[in-house]
């Protein structure tokens, strides 16, 4: 790929604006508004978010699916022994990122992660399609495995063993990120984008604008 091709990939963003006078003073409500707009914009998996974690000064990032949010925080489910799980146990400070290109919007969220209760994880686990539950059971996420066959064999053996009732693995469950900072980014013409930040100070949210 030559650099000219990349340099010529340019878009002038003009789908919206974000003004201090119009944003909701509550960042969760502002998130909810944008999320509703993303849901009704035919975006493929608007709940896909990038989760960045860092342990030992070495950041890592991956996509996970948002499975719930309210004023307590943003929930997702995973394997607690995965790379992300281990990093979160060392350093619970993490960041989430939503990028909805169709709306020319990005949302950054930073905060601390906690484990959800076993009961809440179990409730979600049991609501998943049967084969997804087996997927979670069969996968020691982020461990090296010999080949694909190994995984598929494990999946079939577990299905044979547990039938319609696979148990939730002990090392599987939910996390919740409790935000201390949100940044809502709206693309604007001429790279003069809108960036509105909410930063938590005690129990209040300070709102300010950043230069693009
Ligand atoms: C669209 C999409 C959705 C995903 N959703 C999840 C998820 O909800 N939970 C999860 O553990 N991994 C999910 N993954 C896989 C992760 O990106 C990642 O490969 C996996 O969690 C292992 O990451 P780790 O080794 O950093 O822990 C998803 C990947 C994609 C592309």
């Amino acid at each position: 790929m030559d650099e000219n091709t990349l340099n010529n990939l340019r878009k002038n963003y003009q789908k919206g604006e974000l003004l201090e006078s119009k944003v909701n003073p509550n960042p969760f409500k502002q998130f909810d508004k944008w999320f509703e707009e993303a849901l009704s914009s035919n975006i493929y998996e608007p709940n896909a978010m990038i989760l960045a974690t860092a342990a030992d000064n070495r950041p890592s990032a991956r996509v996970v699916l948002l499975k719930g949010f309210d004023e307590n925080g943003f929930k997702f489910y995973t394997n607690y022994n995965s790379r992300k799980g281990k990093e979160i146990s060392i350093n619970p400070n993490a960041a989430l990122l939503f990028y909805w290109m169709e709306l020319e919007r990005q949302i950054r969220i930073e905060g601390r992660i906690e484990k959800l209760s076993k009961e809440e994880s179990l409730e979600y686990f049991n609501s998943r399609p049967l084969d997804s539950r087996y997927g979670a059971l069969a996968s020691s996420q982020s461990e090296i495995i010999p080949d694909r066959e190994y995984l598929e064999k494990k999946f079939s053996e577990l299905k044979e063993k547990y039938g319609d009732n696979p148990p939730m693995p002990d090392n599987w469950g939910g996390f919740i990120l409790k935000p201390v900072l949100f940044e809502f980014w709206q693309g604007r013409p001429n790279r003069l984008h809108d960036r509105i930040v909410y930063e938590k100070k005690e129990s209040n949210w300070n709102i300010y604008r950043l230069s693009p």
Side-chain angles (χ1 to χ4, degrees):
M1 172 70 58
D2 74 292
E3 282 185 13
N4 271 341
T5 309
L6 292 176
N7 285 340
N8 290 333
L9 290 175
R10 291 182 173 278
K11 291 255 183 286
N12 202 28
Y13 302 126
Q14 42 205 359
K15 293 198 172 153
E17 61 176 21
L18 191 62
L19 302 176
E20 291 86 333
S21 56
K22 293 206 179 132
V23 294
N24 195 299
N26 177 331
F28 295 96
K29 294 205 168 116
Q30 182 63 35
F31 180 88
D32 192 42
K33 179 172 185 282
W34 272 25
F35 195 74
E36 287 293 334
E37 288 169 13
L39 277 179
S40 54
S41 297
N42 270 335
I43 289 173
Y44 190 72
E45 294 200 304
N47 61 329
M49 56 186 186
I50 292 155
L51 164 71
T53 53
D56 307 324
N57 290 326
R58 194 169 152 181
S60 66
R62 80 288 289 152
V63 176
V64 292
L65 295 177
L66 178 68
K67 286 292 170 182
F69 68 90
D70 59 21
E71 300 216 1
N72 294 312
F74 293 78
K75 296 174 190 173
F76 60 92
Y77 292 86
T78 192
N79 185 309
Y80 291 137
N81 293 341
S82 63
R83 177 170 177 190
K84 74 182 92 47
K86 287 180 180 149
E87 291 184 0
I88 290 165
S89 71
I90 295 168
N91 174 13
N93 296 301
L96 297 175
L97 183 127
F98 293 85
Y99 172 45
W100 297 318
M101 65 178 89
E102 296 84 347
L103 295 169
E104 301 172 348
R105 286 177 175 171
Q106 166 181 261
I107 304 176
R108 296 165 64 165
I109 303 172
E110 296 172 15
R112 280 177 81 80
I113 292 186
E114 293 173 10
K115 269 188 185 175
L116 291 178
S117 70
K118 188 120 187 160
E119 294 69 46
E120 192 170 352
S121 295
L122 194 58
E123 195 179 322
Y124 173 68
F125 183 79
N126 288 330
S127 77
R128 301 177 83 207
L130 190 60
D131 281 352
S132 306
R133 283 181 266 161
Y134 275 109
L137 204 57
S139 168
S140 301
Q141 195 177 52
S142 313
E143 281 182 16
I144 297 175
I145 50 174
D147 49 30
R148 174 142 200 114
E149 213 179 15
Y150 168 89
L151 194 61
E152 287 176 357
K153 190 160 166 262
K154 212 165 150 197
F155 184 87
S156 316
E157 285 170 359
L158 286 163
K159 275 190 96 160
E160 197 140 304
K161 185 167 174 195
Y162 293 114
D164 284 343
N165 230 341
M168 180 174 80
D170 282 339
N171 56 11
W172 191 94
F175 281 118
I176 180 166
L177 182 139
K178 301 188 161 185
V180 293
L181 184 139
F182 289 74
E183 181 195 315
F184 293 84
W185 184 101
Q186 177 73 60
R188 299 293 304 271
N190 309 318
R191 301 293 185 253
L192 299 180
H193 314 303
D194 288 329
R195 299 178 64 190
I196 300 292
V197 175
Y198 296 72
E199 193 175 358
K200 198 170 183 184
K201 285 270 148 32
E202 279 132 37
S203 54
N204 295 321
W205 289 96
N206 286 348
I207 302 182
Y208 50 84
R209 173 179 290 266
L210 293 181
S211 176

